[in-house]
Amino acid sequence: MKKTAVITGASSGIGKALSDRLTKEGYNLVLCSRSLDTALENGSISVCNADLCEVNTPAILLEKALKDFGSADYLFVNAGIIESAPIETIDIEKMCAMMRLKVESSFRLIYTFLKYMKKNNKGHIFITSSVLGTKTRENSGAYAAANFALEALAESLRMELSHTGVQITCIEPGLVKTNLHRDWPVHPSELLGISNCLDPSDIADAVIDVINKKDYIRIPRIMILPKGHRI
């Protein structure tokens, strides 16, 4: 039976790379974003254009996976934005919007799917965190805090689920070539002196490596950095 994966933030970057790779691997997919083309839908792909900050969206995504494909085997908690700036210039409203998306909506999504997965004693949740979910630096306190929150939840859930068939993995990328920094006046690759950023497909490759491990192996977190990323 084909496995089903639900992917948030699926329209670009890591989410798009995951959907492309899992399609090649033969998965059924439920793709969530606010701007996906419904023409992508076929017998193996369903599209859900939804706002993750709406409280009913997690239940809608789970219901769609079950209705269209009969299961929800993998959840990729991948949607995110970044607001990083000095105290004097940070946009507080944008910062709080980031926290609502990265923390509140992710927590709702994770717990909604975990209730289903634990009942069925199988499933795997991948959370796109960041290397800044393990440390911080100046001007990035809020973004790091959002990822620290995801890491803390994942570690607690890992222990809670350790004797079940449900797994939790945090992906902790360094700098990746995505649209996340498209509005920055200077790209972080220039600020950090990184000549070769990670490609989103590098993250998808790492995810497949984790999925293909034997069932009894648990990988709670995996950090992936490009050469030259000293952090």
Side-chain angles (χ1 to χ4, degrees):
M1 183 177 177
K2 292 175 67 173
K3 297 293 182 73
T4 299
V6 177
I7 306 172
T8 66
S11 61
S12 64
I14 293 173
K16 176 68 164 53
L18 286 168
S19 66
D20 290 346
R21 182 61 187 274
L22 291 172
T23 296
K24 291 178 182 178
E25 296 286 333
Y27 285 69
N28 295 317
L29 301 179
V30 176
L31 306 180
C32 179
S33 180
R34 287 198 280 188
S35 56
L36 278 168
D37 188 349
T38 55
L40 292 169
E41 292 192 315
N42 57 41
S44 298
I45 298 177
S46 288
V47 169
C48 183
N49 286 310
D51 183 352
L52 285 168
C53 291
E54 294 290 335
V55 297
N56 59 340
T57 297
I60 290 172
L61 288 173
L62 178 57
E63 182 180 353
K64 190 167 186 62
L66 298 181
K67 180 181 178 181
D68 291 355
F69 303 119
S71 67
D73 305 287
Y74 295 92
L75 170 66
F76 292 88
V77 183
N78 178 69
I81 53 178
I82 184 170
E83 181 63 22
S84 180
I87 294 166
E88 292 82 4
T89 59
I90 195 164
D91 187 317
I92 294 175
E93 292 307 314
K94 289 183 178 180
M95 177 184 69
C96 290
M98 174 186 68
M99 299 301 285
R100 285 191 291 272
L101 177 62
K102 286 280 289 179
V103 181
E104 181 183 349
S105 76
S106 294
F107 277 39
R108 289 181 183 276
L109 190 64
I110 290 165
Y111 274 103
T112 297
F113 275 73
L114 276 181
K115 288 177 184 294
Y116 164 81
M117 290 177 174
K118 190 174 182 186
K119 182 179 179 180
N120 289 276
N121 197 36
K122 63 178 181 178
H124 198 149
I125 294 179
F126 286 86
I127 302 169
T128 302
S129 174
S130 167
V131 64
L132 288 179
T134 68
K135 55 191 71 182
T136 191
R137 61 172 179 240
E138 60 183 350
N139 302 335
S140 297
Y143 181 67
N147 289 299
F148 266 78
L150 292 172
E151 295 272 351
L153 176 63
E155 181 63 5
S156 177
L157 292 174
R158 177 193 66 78
M159 292 184 281
E160 190 174 344
L161 297 165
S162 62
H163 292 290
T164 76
V166 183
Q167 300 188 50
I168 303 280
T169 299
C170 273
I171 306 295
E172 302 163 347
L175 192 57
V176 185
K177 289 181 289 186
T178 70
N179 293 328
L180 198 62
H181 304 97
R182 63 182 177 273
D183 295 327
W184 287 35
V186 181
H187 194 271
S189 60
E190 296 182 43
L191 295 172
L192 300 172
I194 299 172
S195 57
N196 292 297
C197 301
L198 295 171
D199 189 84
S201 63
D202 297 326
I203 310 305
D205 289 344
V207 165
I208 294 299
D209 287 343
V210 174
I211 287 175
N212 288 337
K213 297 298 184 189
K214 296 176 182 177
D215 286 344
Y216 65 87
I217 296 174
R218 299 292 184 264
I219 302 179
R221 62 185 64 86
I222 179 168
M223 184 182 291
I224 311 165
L225 301 177
K227 181 181 178 181
H229 196 165
R230 295 191 304 169
I231 186 169

